[in-house]
Amino acid sequence: MTAKMAAPMSNVDEIRDRVILGEFGVKNVHTTDYPGNYPGYDDTWDLGKFKKNFRIDIVNSDEDMLEFDMIGIDASIANAFRRILLAEVPTMAIEKVFIYNNTSIIQDEILAHRLGLVPIKADPRLFEYRNPEDQEGTEIDTIQLQLKVKCTRNPRAPKDSSDPKELYLNHMVYSGDIKWLPIGNQADVFADAKIGPVHGDILLAQLRPGQELDIVMHCVKGIGKDHAKFSPVATASYRLLPEITLLQTIEGEQAERLKRCFSPGVIEIQNVNGRKVAKVINSRLDTCSREVLRHDDLKNLVKLGRVRDHFIFSVESTGILSADVLVTEAIKVLISKCQKFLTELDAAEMD
């Protein structure tokens, strides 16, 4: 953790390594540790030094959520990684909707748009990009889905009932009603894949007796840069690790007020020789609200900052791929971009 008590830091080191939250603004927001900028500091980029300082620490991980720390990199790299997660990791999504019958009150265009945003559980790594000129699609680049639902009256409904759930059958159309229609040898190749919507409880339309939907959909491989429906994450964000430094001992009523200025778990009151003393327990939980700077007797006793090269990433998957797989795929995309750039540099030198 970054809990500190009056830890001395030179002004140059603070400018280089910390973002400072002041009462009327934020200081040191720009990276300044480039070669030659600070006398006595060797800021030339060195691979060995980078390997020594860079690390990734997994904090929390489950199927759809991943929180990890990326330490020892510049904000430009961290942001490139975030943007790749949002827009350049491919997924499968509904691209073409063939509506053979739609007698519901929802217009064809609205229904097609709703269908396109339904996350589809299919591993994009097993498919190829579809040729834009190909209208039909093949088993290697297309997934075919069908939605066929007709609403009827429930013959067993109570006579005095007015509840649609009792009066009608199939009056609520959910994403779970979408069925997979294998193309070619897909039934054998993806026998254990369970291709279909990630969530079966997404409401698509409501019907009344006599109304029906008969729709065939084609899913193709794409990236979020082309359309948001291909984005594999619900959110991918980062923040800098907060750092809270107590410049002197704070006790008694001041300590209680200091604790209330921060998020729960950041500051705790400890008993030291019969005195109530404030201690920084977990600055990671702080939201950097700067509430403490509103108290005239406290604002000069605390220094608020953020560690410039310590990024706390939060990645939430839509469920198409697990969060850890998405991070791995994003790293692969970043590596391929670097390799392409190096190839272009070599080609330019040869010319």
Side-chain angles (χ1 to χ4, degrees):
M1 299 301 172
T2 57
K4 295 186 178 180
M5 173 68 75
M9 176 180 277
S10 71
N11 188 51
V12 173
D13 287 335
E14 182 178 283
I15 294 173
R16 289 162 52 86
D17 302 332
R18 297 293 185 268
V19 176
I20 301 301
L21 307 179
E23 185 176 4
F24 301 107
V26 182
K27 299 186 295 182
N28 308 339
V29 295
H30 301 294
T31 300
T32 57
D33 55 349
Y34 46 85
N37 194 39
Y38 294 102
Y41 288 84
D42 182 13
D43 288 317
T44 54
W45 194 85
D46 179 74
L47 180 60
K49 181 180 177 182
F50 174 78
K51 287 182 176 180
K52 180 181 178 181
N53 296 330
F54 177 74
R55 74 176 195 268
I56 294 179
D57 297 333
I58 305 298
V59 178
N60 292 308
S61 177
D62 57 36
E63 184 68 18
D64 295 329
M65 286 288 298
L66 180 65
E67 181 181 345
F68 62 93
D69 291 1
M70 189 177 288
I71 305 165
I73 59 169
D74 188 72
S76 58
I77 305 299
N79 194 50
F81 185 71
R82 179 190 67 87
R83 290 172 65 101
I84 289 172
L85 276 168
L86 288 169
E88 296 189 60
V89 175
T91 62
M92 303 294 290
I94 296 172
E95 176 72 7
K96 293 185 179 295
V97 179
F98 303 94
I99 300 179
Y100 297 102
N101 194 8
N102 174 21
T103 54
S104 71
I105 63 171
I106 301 180
Q107 298 94 329
D108 291 353
E109 296 83 356
I110 303 299
L111 184 57
H113 183 263
R114 291 178 66 83
L115 290 169
L117 294 175
V118 174
I120 303 301
K121 186 75 171 181
D123 193 335
R125 296 170 293 182
L126 305 178
F127 293 87
E128 302 293 335
Y129 285 99
R130 182 166 162 177
N131 189 334
E133 300 176 357
D134 187 357
Q135 297 297 320
E136 297 298 326
T138 64
E139 65 267 17
I140 65 171
D141 59 25
T142 302
I143 296 173
Q144 185 170 265
L145 303 173
Q146 184 182 46
L147 177 62
K148 194 168 186 177
V149 181
K150 184 174 183 178
C151 179
T152 59
R153 293 188 180 275
N154 183 7
R156 299 181 180 179
K159 293 183 179 180
D160 57 345
S161 176
S162 60
D163 187 355
K165 295 180 181 179
E166 297 178 345
L167 292 175
Y168 313 129
L169 300 176
N170 300 324
H171 76 291
M172 304 283 277
V173 182
Y174 291 98
S175 54
D177 297 315
I178 298 176
K179 306 303 178 185
W180 173 42
L181 299 179
I183 302 173
N185 64 347
Q186 286 183 347
D188 298 325
V189 175
F190 306 113
D192 301 325
K194 297 181 180 180
I195 293 177
V198 173
H199 307 288
D201 57 352
I202 301 174
L203 182 63
L204 300 175
Q206 295 189 38
L207 304 179
R208 287 298 179 263
Q211 296 180 348
E212 64 179 307
L213 296 174
D214 188 0
I215 301 170
V216 173
M217 295 151 279
H218 284 181
C219 300
V220 301
K221 187 175 181 178
I223 58 177
K225 186 187 294 186
D226 296 330
H227 196 286
K229 66 186 176 184
F230 291 111
S231 181
V233 294
T235 181
S237 62
Y238 65 78
R239 61 190 179 98
L240 293 175
L241 178 70
E243 181 182 69
I244 301 170
T245 305
L246 302 184
L247 302 179
Q248 68 180 58
T249 302
I250 302 176
E251 56 185 85
E253 185 271 338
Q254 280 189 325
E256 296 287 352
R257 278 193 293 120
L258 181 70
K259 178 180 177 180
R260 293 195 296 269
C261 289
F262 295 92
S263 303
V266 176
I267 304 289
E268 293 296 340
I269 306 299
Q270 297 181 352
N271 192 310
V272 179
N273 298 326
R275 299 178 303 157
K276 293 182 177 180
V277 179
K279 299 288 185 181
V280 181
I281 302 300
N282 188 357
S283 61
R284 183 190 185 91
L285 301 176
D286 185 38
T287 59
C288 296
S289 66
R290 295 189 282 183
E291 171 69 18
V292 67
L293 300 180
R294 299 177 62 184
H295 298 259
D296 292 335
D297 59 336
L298 293 177
K299 64 183 180 181
N300 294 322
L301 307 180
V302 180
K303 177 179 284 188
L304 305 179
R306 291 195 173 195
V307 183
R308 185 187 299 281
D309 64 347
H310 191 136
F311 298 87
I312 302 174
F313 269 88
S314 296
V315 179
E316 180 182 354
S317 169
T318 58
I320 298 174
L321 294 171
S322 62
D324 58 332
V325 171
L326 291 179
V327 171
T328 303
E329 292 300 306
I331 292 173
K332 292 179 181 178
V333 173
L334 184 58
I335 291 174
S336 67
K337 285 176 170 286
C338 295
Q339 291 173 339
K340 182 179 179 181
F341 179 65
L342 292 175
T343 302
E344 293 292 336
L345 284 179
D346 292 340
E349 290 178 359
M350 292 178 63
D351 292 342

